[in-house]
Amino acid sequence: MVMVAATTTASHLTSTFLSTPDFCGLSRSLQWPHMQRRCTRKYVPGAISASIDLKPPPYALHALEPHMSKETLEYHWGKHHRAYVDNLNKQIEGTELDGMSLESIISASYNKGDILPAFNNAAQIWNHEFFWESMKPDGGGKPTGELLELINRDFGSFEGLINKFKSAATTQFGSGWAWLVYKEHKLDVPNARNPRPSEEDNKLVVVKSPNAVNPLVWEYHPLLTLDVWEHAYYLDFENRRPDYILTFLDKLVSWETVSSRLEAAKVRVAESEKEMAEIDADEDLDTIEPEDTDMYFGSEAEDAEDFLDDE
Amino acid sequence: MSWTCSNYLCLSSSSSSSLIDSHELTLFNRCKLSSEYKELRRKDHDSLRPINTCAYLGLKPPTHKLDKGQRKKDCVLNKPKNICAYYSLRPPSYKFDALEPYMSQRTLEVHWGEHHRGYVESLNKYLEKDDILYGYTMDELIKVTYNNGNPLPEFNVAAQVWNHDFFWESMQPGGGNSPTLGLLRQIEKDFGSFSDFREEFIENALTLFGSGWVWLVLKRNEKRLAVVQTTNAITPLVWDDIPLLSLDMWEHSYYLDYKNNKAQYANVFMDHLVSWNMALARIAYAQSFVNLGEPKIPVA
């Protein structure tokens, strides 16, 4: 996907499309073409390159006052998030990661735990975009509908979720993130599948992660996040992290976005289960013959063929 | 004497004034927590704590008579029931506004008064409950709770208490410039030149991702200086190395003054805050433990 690399200013995006749940619910790969068509961006001639963009939050930088100050957003988005984007673009220029979508860069550079240099920047970009979208002016309140049902099912009550989330965010030592994720039921072995998938097995879980790690690498479906790096709350709350967490949960969190992400996650889970079911239905996989019969049977290839023909 | 440059133990006992005759105990007067712990002591009696695991400094003989059973025991550490030793919050040796304009008073107030104090209080809470850990000195406590890389929950708080004390001592008003005498010679030997060392130190500070510390250490086994970067609460003590200087790269230590400008913070630390006198004193002390020079073989 070729994306125009342009300088985005910190101006308020008045496109109402961005704040509707439909938009937020679309998976990331679908969002970019919409952005290009609807946003007014400067076209810089000759500067087309496949790079990651700095996406502004779906509200003005002062819109979250007094719970999250404009100064915090100016630094957090305008400096930290921007620096991650610039550094990632420098890092991936000319390498094989150039041109990939952000989520592919994250999984490629996670490298099953042995992280490559691009991981920190890429994951932080994704985390921050997710974080901006998890908040809205006049947020807070309670979730509704299916999300509330699942919360009651998995945490006992809404208060149970709040307590778990608060405790995860408070106990994350050092820098990191606290998440509410939708977890598919999977067996612990990497390539094993749940033989009888059902909706009941998929759970909502609260997890915390250090530094830049996000639950995508654990194959969870994130629904909500809170940035507990100190830069996120130090200007407003100094060291009082619990106050920051409470403010986020009471006044900033956008449960509509979480609900729409939940729906999108369920769709993705259902699709992947369908794919797995199709693979299972395909019987040819069970009778793949080893290409190199000599490996097992020595040089007596005739004996090998007799052996296999018995099936 | 341990590697802790300060003696933490704050003795709170009911007849404190008569005991104060050593240097360490003068800190008792500044220890804000002592009065709080007097209350704790009265409530939760030391009869619950086994006698032989306290850090009893043997200041005065027990005021109560030993009963028959105790007299017969060989165990000398009969702790009187009204003395407890806990870790105290030691203030930096300069006033909070002494490091202005390089590190603001507000930063020190929050960093020392809230973060460091919070760590000390959490550590004391953990130690109240755990007798075995209570008996260790600070250095041993850090190594034991580090547990060779699989840290126990007390590790983070214990190490952070130590790290912050070390950090306050690594700075001074009117600091900066460059090291002198033997330390400068050693730096030039191990890094090439002072400016190479400075560059390496600052680069380590900038490339550290997340929270952590940057250290100038004397590596015990390799008998040389090195710049080391550690994450979260880890300290070179766990590898038995001897730290000489540290720089706190947790965001809380620079965010109020420099916001996201880590480069400026690191440069200002090197130019105006770092205490080379302290580093020199530490390396001089370290030479009792690590032989840095060529052995002097006497000519017969």
Side-chain angles (χ1 to χ4, degrees):
Chain A
M1 259 187 296
V2 174
M3 291 178 268
V4 174
T7 46
T8 51
T9 58
S11 59
H12 174 48
L13 271 176
T14 52
S15 164
T16 51
F17 179 67
L18 284 173
S19 45
T20 59
D22 298 324
F23 179 72
C24 296
L26 289 173
S27 70
R28 191 145 309 275
S29 52
L30 296 176
Q31 282 173 1
W32 293 112
H34 290 275
M35 283 286 286
Q36 283 179 302
R37 283 197 284 278
R38 295 201 180 218
C39 298
T40 50
R41 288 182 178 208
K42 285 195 290 191
Y43 174 68
V44 182
I48 298 180
S49 62
S51 61
I52 307 294
D53 283 343
L54 173 64
K55 190 166 166 247
Y59 35 77
L61 295 185
H62 61 78
L64 299 179
E65 295 264 13
H67 313 296
M68 188 176 276
S69 64
K70 175 177 178 210
E71 203 194 357
T72 297
L73 273 165
E74 279 175 354
Y75 279 100
H76 198 175
W77 176 78
K79 306 257 168 143
H80 289 271
H81 189 174
R82 191 187 296 273
Y84 291 131
V85 171
D86 294 339
N87 290 337
L88 180 67
N89 287 333
K90 273 185 231 148
Q91 269 176 330
I92 62 176
E93 203 178 308
T95 68
E96 59 191 12
L97 294 173
D98 202 357
M100 288 165 74
S101 75
L102 190 59
E103 289 178 355
S104 328
I105 298 181
I106 291 175
S107 50
S109 55
Y110 184 65
N111 202 14
K112 301 197 180 93
D114 186 16
I115 61 175
L116 305 177
F119 175 76
N120 283 335
N121 287 323
Q124 281 291 76
I125 297 172
W126 192 94
N127 294 344
H128 280 91
E129 282 178 8
F130 199 80
F131 180 50
W132 304 134
E133 286 161 10
S134 302
M135 296 192 288
K136 67 170 193 193
D138 296 325
K142 289 184 80 158
T144 54
E146 200 181 356
L147 177 59
L148 186 59
E149 278 173 31
L150 279 183
I151 287 176
N152 288 331
R153 185 193 78 179
D154 294 327
F155 295 101
S157 64
F158 179 59
E159 281 68 37
L161 164 65
I162 296 293
N163 286 335
K164 269 233 149 81
F165 195 84
K166 274 200 269 189
S167 130
T170 318
T171 54
Q172 174 53 41
F173 188 72
S175 309
W177 300 78
W179 304 84
L180 174 65
V181 305
Y182 184 64
K183 182 181 174 192
E184 291 179 53
H185 175 68
K186 281 184 178 164
L187 301 174
D188 283 338
V189 182
N191 59 352
R193 293 162 323 256
N194 183 359
R196 274 185 287 175
S198 85
E199 279 288 299
E200 259 71 76
D201 294 330
N202 301 333
K203 294 221 176 300
L204 291 180
V205 177
V206 167
V207 291
K208 60 187 183 198
S209 64
N211 289 0
V213 178
N214 66 32
L216 291 179
V217 305
W218 301 321
E219 295 182 12
Y220 293 167
H221 302 271
L223 304 178
L224 175 65
T225 187
L226 173 58
D227 188 353
V228 287
W229 281 62
E230 284 170 330
H231 63 233
Y233 59 91
Y234 220 73
L235 294 177
D236 295 334
F237 295 92
E238 285 173 344
N239 71 311
R240 301 186 314 272
R241 197 193 279 193
D243 289 350
Y244 164 64
I245 297 168
L246 276 175
T247 307
F248 173 80
L249 287 170
D250 285 337
K251 307 275 187 348
L252 288 172
V253 65
S254 163
W255 291 113
E256 293 82 24
T257 318
V258 179
S259 295
S260 55
R261 285 168 178 163
L262 177 63
E263 281 169 34
K266 286 187 157 193
V267 163
R268 278 200 295 271
V269 166
E271 278 173 8
S272 69
E273 280 170 6
K274 238 183 15 180
E275 271 176 36
M276 290 304 170
E278 281 170 18
I279 292 177
D280 280 340
D282 186 1
E283 286 171 350
D284 290 336
L285 284 178
D286 288 338
T287 55
I288 289 177
E289 299 180 5
E291 287 171 17
D292 187 8
T293 53
D294 290 348
M295 186 162 64
Y296 298 107
F297 299 114
S299 54
E300 290 149 6
E302 298 137 359
D303 289 352
E305 280 170 45
D306 287 344
F307 196 82
L308 288 168
D309 283 342
D310 282 342
E311 283 189 350
Chain B
M1 190 177 145
S2 65
W3 281 111
T4 52
C5 287
S6 58
N7 188 328
Y8 288 95
L9 297 185
C10 160
L11 296 200
S12 22
S13 75
S14 46
S15 54
S16 54
S17 49
S18 56
L19 301 176
I20 298 177
D21 55 8
S22 62
H23 168 66
E24 288 94 307
L25 287 178
T26 54
L27 295 175
F28 169 78
N29 290 324
R30 287 191 275 165
C31 175
K32 181 186 174 246
L33 298 173
S34 61
S35 51
E36 291 165 14
Y37 287 114
K38 268 187 200 156
E39 288 310 305
L40 268 175
R41 248 189 311 115
R42 277 190 217 117
K43 278 184 256 173
D44 137 359
H45 228 9
D46 294 82
S47 51
L48 299 173
R49 194 190 298 286
I51 296 172
N52 56 354
T53 59
C54 330
Y56 175 51
L57 290 191
L59 286 169
K60 66 170 194 167
T63 47
H64 56 273
K65 276 200 172 167
L66 298 173
D67 62 14
K68 276 193 190 153
Q70 284 178 313
R71 261 179 268 157
K72 280 184 185 164
K73 281 185 199 164
D74 285 335
C75 170
V76 177
L77 293 175
N78 289 319
K79 185 175 82 68
K81 290 180 183 179
N82 59 351
I83 293 187
C84 268
Y86 286 98
Y87 290 100
S88 68
L89 176 63
R90 186 167 184 261
S93 50
Y94 36 81
K95 293 212 183 107
F96 287 165
D97 55 6
L99 298 180
E100 294 265 14
Y102 309 112
M103 188 175 274
S104 63
Q105 178 176 357
R106 183 66 193 153
T107 298
L108 275 166
E109 280 173 3
V110 181
H111 197 176
W112 177 81
E114 313 267 353
H115 289 274
H116 191 180
R117 189 190 299 277
Y119 290 130
V120 171
E121 289 178 356
S122 311
L123 179 61
N124 288 334
K125 281 203 195 97
Y126 275 124
L127 293 185
E128 260 173 35
K129 299 178 204 150
D130 190 332
D131 288 326
I132 298 174
L133 290 184
Y134 178 81
Y136 285 110
T137 60
M138 184 53 116
D139 291 351
E140 290 173 359
L141 181 65
I142 290 177
K143 285 198 195 133
V144 159
T145 49
Y146 183 65
N147 200 15
N148 288 317
N150 194 4
L152 306 177
E154 296 83 357
F155 172 73
N156 282 334
V157 287
Q160 283 290 78
V161 170
W162 190 92
N163 290 343
H164 280 90
D165 260 316
F166 192 85
F167 179 52
W168 306 132
E169 285 162 5
S170 298
M171 295 195 291
Q172 67 172 75
N177 300 316
S178 58
T180 52
L181 305 176
L183 180 56
L184 182 60
R185 279 200 297 273
Q186 189 65 34
I187 286 181
E188 283 171 352
K189 181 173 162 212
D190 292 327
F191 294 98
S193 73
F194 174 65
S195 44
D196 285 341
F197 153 72
R198 190 181 185 280
E199 232 178 80
E200 193 180 330
F201 193 89
I202 293 189
E203 199 201 315
N204 269 290
L206 298 182
T207 54
L208 174 66
F209 188 73
S211 307
W213 300 77
V214 185
W215 307 82
L216 170 63
V217 288
L218 173 62
K219 288 202 173 273
R220 221 187 264 258
N221 294 333
E222 299 163 38
K223 299 196 198 331
R224 51 161 294 150
L225 296 179
V227 171
V228 168
Q229 173 198 92
T230 60
T231 50
N232 288 0
I234 296 180
T235 146
L237 290 182
V238 306
W239 303 305
D240 238 358
D241 289 333
I242 300 170
L244 304 178
L245 281 181
S246 78
L247 173 57
D248 189 352
M249 290 308 295
W250 281 63
E251 285 172 328
H252 62 234
S253 82
Y254 61 86
Y255 215 74
L256 293 177
D257 298 332
Y258 300 99
K259 311 272 183 356
N260 70 317
N261 197 345
K262 285 202 283 199
Q264 196 188 3
Y265 168 63
N267 278 297
V268 160
F269 174 81
M270 264 293 146
D271 290 334
H272 300 286
L273 287 174
V274 66
S275 173
W276 288 115
N277 297 329
M278 189 53 89
L280 187 61
R282 287 175 183 148
I283 197 171
Y285 181 55
Q287 290 192 314
S288 328
F289 297 85
V290 179
N291 186 357
L292 287 174
E294 295 297 318
K296 284 201 177 113
I297 302 170
V299 179

